[in-house]
Amino acid sequence: MRQTTSHKLWLIAPAALMVGIFFLYPLCFSLYSAITLDGSLTLTHLDKAFDLYSKDILFTIIIVLISVAILAILSITIAALITLSPFRSLTKTLGFLYRLPLFIPFIVTAQMMRTFLAKNGLMNNAFVASGLLTPMDTVSFLGWSGIIITFVWKQLAFSTLLISGAMAALDESQIRAARNLGASRLRILLQIILPQIIPTLGVAIVLSIVTMMSVLSVPLMIGTGSPTMMTADMAFRINSYGDYHVANALGLVSYCICAGLAWFYLRQNLKEKGAN
Amino acid sequence: MSVSQNRNVFEMLNLQSLRPSFWLQSVFILLLALILFGPIMNLLIWTVAESWYFPHALPSQWGFKYWQQVFNPYSDVSGSLFTSLLIAVLTVAVCMIVSIPAGYALSKRSMPLRIFWMLLFLIPQAFPNLTVYMNIAKLFYGFGLNGTVLGVIIVHSVHGLMFSIWISVAAFSSTDPMLERASRNLGAGPFYTFFHIVLPQAAPGLIASCIFVFLESLDEFTGTFFVGSPNISTLPLLLYTASMEGNYQIASITALILLVPSILFMVIINKFMRPDMLSKLGK
């Protein structure tokens, strides 16, 4: 028995070593580099990062929170329509539609939006042609609103897939019972379905936040100007100054933001488990 | 007269169950379709637009001039396409060599510290990985791996490892352990049993994980940006450069090339990813 166990560890070793050497080691190195100077602990890099980029850090947090809020509302609406709507043909169309961006890469999305949302892009042209806007009123959406639109457009398929999956897995008899007792569809959604899918919603949100915090192409291609997202600042810091300390300090801040949000989610989750 | 007519119309609507909620939902779906298809349409138009300037709502000149430029064997695009495919195929190979044994071992419940290993392989997806990439680039610089195909393959493999291992574990978990035991009882060796009994059963799931890794590698931008550039140019890097230089036709055609495997995958995944296997994911 012991022999087979050690055998199995050997099977895992190559994969574990790869993650260890090429992910965990650089990860620890980045943390180390963020808080040390010539081998001694220091806060100068973090201070400098906050001095130079506090606006961008705030901008990143706000962008991510707004995107996630819109994502949550939209995915819940779509998933709820698929689960509760009595019109089969509509739900089928919707089920096909929302999956469309699932495997479209971020960089392709960024390129689409870069031309679509520009001042003279297809979107504004369509508004002008339909008489909704005059050419003088058009504004470019490249900037903070463009970043949010791109994030939501790309992540919508993923979060809706998770949430509608969770809704489909619910016990259907509960919904039927509630309907028989005369509950409206909105009430069923808010009081019966939502409370049960909160864990999945949390997973979708945390994963989306981590994704948004690590995408570089979108802020580079759509977020023209200042303030911009922290990922663009890190790339700039490295490519223009070779300044790994401040870049890593910014990385540390982004870990902390993600960790903070994940902790918030876990705490909520634990609280609910405790209440039950 | 008009009141009764109105009532008639209302009753008719009711009869056909065309209630306001139906129209409301239809409008919602229509809006969603516009939002989803708008940018895609825009990309498609750009690929066949020879010139498209401000006062024109649509391109003033249509044509395939830029397609010829792209598919010229000496163009940047065909070179990048070749590099991208080479890197993606080799990344799949590396991931599979490492993940098949690991996935098989982790599919056994008796594996010690099973949760710990599963979480370890989740980590590369659970952290914002830009910081890690720039430090890998710094480390690789010391080893002379920066700007080499090998360096990019390593970065892509670590990124794809989570998919390949988690899906492999699910694929091996859905195999029938009784068949394996029967094979061993009939005198087959462990290797023979693995290659002839276990592996064929897990094959559909493993193919799905290959496709996942392939797509991840093909579409990866950030890691290649730090580790590969300027020597290695993959399609996403080329797209980025073309777009930043304002060369929207080339950028859009490159984007369209990147879209093809993604759409193919949508079709294939429905075939290979069985729901019963998906339900074993992460268990």
Side-chain angles (χ1 to χ4, degrees):
Chain A
M1 188 65 206
R2 187 177 294 157
Q3 209 179 10
T4 49
T5 305
S6 66
H7 239 83
K8 282 177 190 163
L9 277 178
W10 275 112
L11 292 174
I12 296 181
L17 274 179
M18 261 182 84
V19 173
I21 297 173
F22 297 115
F23 198 90
L24 291 182
Y25 176 64
L27 183 74
C28 295
F29 188 82
S30 84
L31 299 179
Y32 175 80
S33 156
I35 52 166
T36 56
L37 183 65
D38 301 328
S40 56
L41 282 175
T42 172
L43 286 177
T44 42
H45 313 309
L46 276 166
D47 275 347
K48 200 171 167 192
F50 276 113
D51 266 355
L52 292 172
Y53 298 113
S54 55
K55 242 189 193 167
D56 291 353
I57 294 172
L58 195 65
F59 179 77
T60 307
I61 296 176
I62 292 172
I63 290 275
V64 168
L65 287 182
I66 294 177
S67 309
V68 157
I70 299 175
L71 257 180
I73 293 169
L74 273 180
S75 345
I76 290 173
T77 313
I78 296 174
L81 275 181
I82 289 176
T83 322
L84 291 176
S85 170
F87 312 112
R88 287 284 107 205
S89 57
L90 288 189
T91 55
K92 259 191 184 161
T93 321
L94 197 58
F96 165 76
L97 259 185
Y98 85 82
R99 283 168 211 237
L100 209 65
L102 191 60
F103 295 110
I104 295 182
F106 252 112
I107 188 139
V108 171
T109 315
Q111 169 59 22
M112 283 177 184
M113 292 298 178
R114 187 173 160 86
T115 45
F116 184 67
L117 299 173
K119 188 165 163 41
N120 300 312
L122 188 69
M123 187 177 74
N124 280 331
N125 285 346
F127 282 139
V128 171
S130 60
L132 286 171
L133 285 178
T134 65
M136 302 304 286
D137 299 330
T138 56
V139 282
S140 162
F141 282 89
L142 298 180
W144 64 272
S145 49
I147 298 182
I148 294 177
I149 294 172
T150 314
F151 280 157
V152 172
W153 195 92
K154 169 72 183 96
Q155 285 299 112
L156 187 63
F158 171 72
S159 62
T160 311
L161 194 68
L162 282 185
I163 291 170
S164 65
M167 283 191 188
L170 289 183
D171 190 359
E172 212 177 310
S173 60
Q174 290 176 6
I175 297 171
R176 216 171 295 156
R179 279 211 62 78
N180 287 343
L181 291 171
S184 71
R185 291 203 158 84
L186 188 68
R187 203 181 153 102
I188 294 175
L189 173 66
L190 293 180
Q191 296 192 337
I192 293 178
I193 296 182
L194 268 190
Q196 297 187 63
I197 59 142
I198 292 257
T200 314
L201 183 66
V203 170
I205 284 179
V206 169
L207 288 179
S208 294
I209 289 174
V210 172
T211 309
M212 291 174 199
M213 298 285 292
S214 33
V215 173
L216 176 64
S217 51
V218 172
L220 285 187
M221 288 168 75
I222 292 180
T224 45
S226 166
T228 185
M229 296 196 61
M230 289 160 64
T231 44
D233 291 330
M234 285 185 240
F236 173 75
R237 219 57 223 170
I238 298 283
N239 288 339
S240 303
Y241 296 110
D243 183 357
Y244 282 87
H245 287 301
V246 172
N248 281 325
L250 280 174
L252 181 61
V253 175
S254 79
Y255 293 150
C256 290
I257 295 171
C258 286
L261 291 167
W263 174 77
F264 177 76
Y265 158 70
L266 279 179
R267 206 189 53 166
Q268 288 300 109
N269 225 9
L270 285 180
K271 248 189 203 167
E272 265 158 34
K273 288 223 174 93
N276 289 339
Chain B
M1 182 65 196
S2 82
V3 172
S4 68
Q5 218 172 21
N6 269 348
R7 190 181 296 153
N8 268 343
V9 169
F10 195 74
E11 275 167 7
M12 204 176 73
L13 283 180
N14 240 351
L15 267 180
Q16 294 177 351
S17 84
L18 296 178
R19 282 161 300 190
S21 67
F22 178 85
W23 293 110
L24 208 68
Q25 288 176 23
S26 301
V27 169
F28 177 79
I29 291 174
L30 188 71
L31 278 179
L32 191 74
L34 281 179
I35 293 169
L36 288 177
F37 281 113
I40 298 177
M41 274 309 295
N42 175 68
L43 184 87
L44 292 179
I45 296 176
W46 263 110
T47 61
V48 288
E50 282 189 8
S51 66
W52 190 357
Y53 295 110
F54 164 53
H56 303 283
L58 285 172
S60 48
Q61 218 180 338
W62 304 75
F64 287 94
K65 189 176 99 189
Y66 287 92
W67 282 86
Q68 285 168 356
Q69 206 172 317
V70 163
F71 283 102
N72 172 344
Y74 304 105
S75 77
D76 291 347
V77 182
S78 28
S80 305
L81 179 62
F82 176 73
T83 317
S84 279
L85 289 177
L86 178 77
I87 289 175
V89 168
L90 290 175
T91 301
V92 169
V94 171
C95 277
M96 282 301 119
I97 290 171
V98 176
S99 314
I100 288 178
Y104 177 67
L106 286 172
S107 72
K108 305 285 175 213
R109 299 262 142 190
S110 57
M111 184 70 211
L113 299 174
R114 191 169 164 273
I115 304 284
F116 167 78
W117 297 114
M118 293 296 275
L119 284 180
L120 178 74
F121 297 121
L122 191 63
I123 283 179
Q125 295 288 332
F127 275 89
N129 45 26
L130 185 111
T131 325
V132 174
Y133 286 143
M134 61 200 197
N135 286 291
I136 290 184
K138 194 182 181 191
L139 294 173
F140 276 8
Y141 202 72
F143 297 113
L145 279 170
N146 247 20
T148 64
V149 173
L150 179 65
V152 176
I153 292 172
I154 292 174
V155 169
H156 286 191
S157 304
V158 175
H159 183 72
L161 215 53
M162 180 242 153
F163 291 108
S164 60
I165 288 188
W166 276 60
I167 301 175
S168 304
V169 172
F172 283 116
S173 301
S174 65
T175 58
D176 186 353
M178 296 314 264
L179 286 177
E180 196 181 343
R181 209 176 295 165
S183 161
R184 293 301 302 274
N185 284 345
L186 291 171
F191 283 98
Y192 185 91
T193 306
F194 180 78
F195 283 106
H196 287 88
I197 307 293
V198 181
L199 204 55
Q201 289 185 70
L206 295 178
I207 291 174
S209 88
C210 283
I211 298 174
F212 250 108
V213 173
F214 182 85
L215 277 186
E216 279 291 313
S217 166
L218 204 62
D219 300 337
E220 215 279 337
F221 173 74
T222 316
T224 327
F225 182 77
F226 282 109
V227 173
S229 66
N231 300 354
I232 303 288
S233 171
T234 57
L235 283 183
L237 283 188
L238 181 93
L239 196 170
Y240 172 72
T241 328
S243 179
M244 290 317 244
E245 286 167 356
N247 202 339
Y248 289 158
Q249 286 90 347
I250 299 286
S252 301
I253 295 172
T254 315
L256 194 61
I257 297 173
L258 281 176
L259 272 187
V260 174
S262 318
I263 292 166
L264 275 182
F265 183 51
M266 283 284 277
V267 179
I268 294 173
I269 191 119
N270 283 328
K271 206 171 158 168
F272 282 112
M273 278 290 226
R274 298 192 312 274
D276 59 315
M277 203 197 79
L278 266 181
S279 70
K280 290 217 163 60
L281 212 60
K283 280 188 183 165

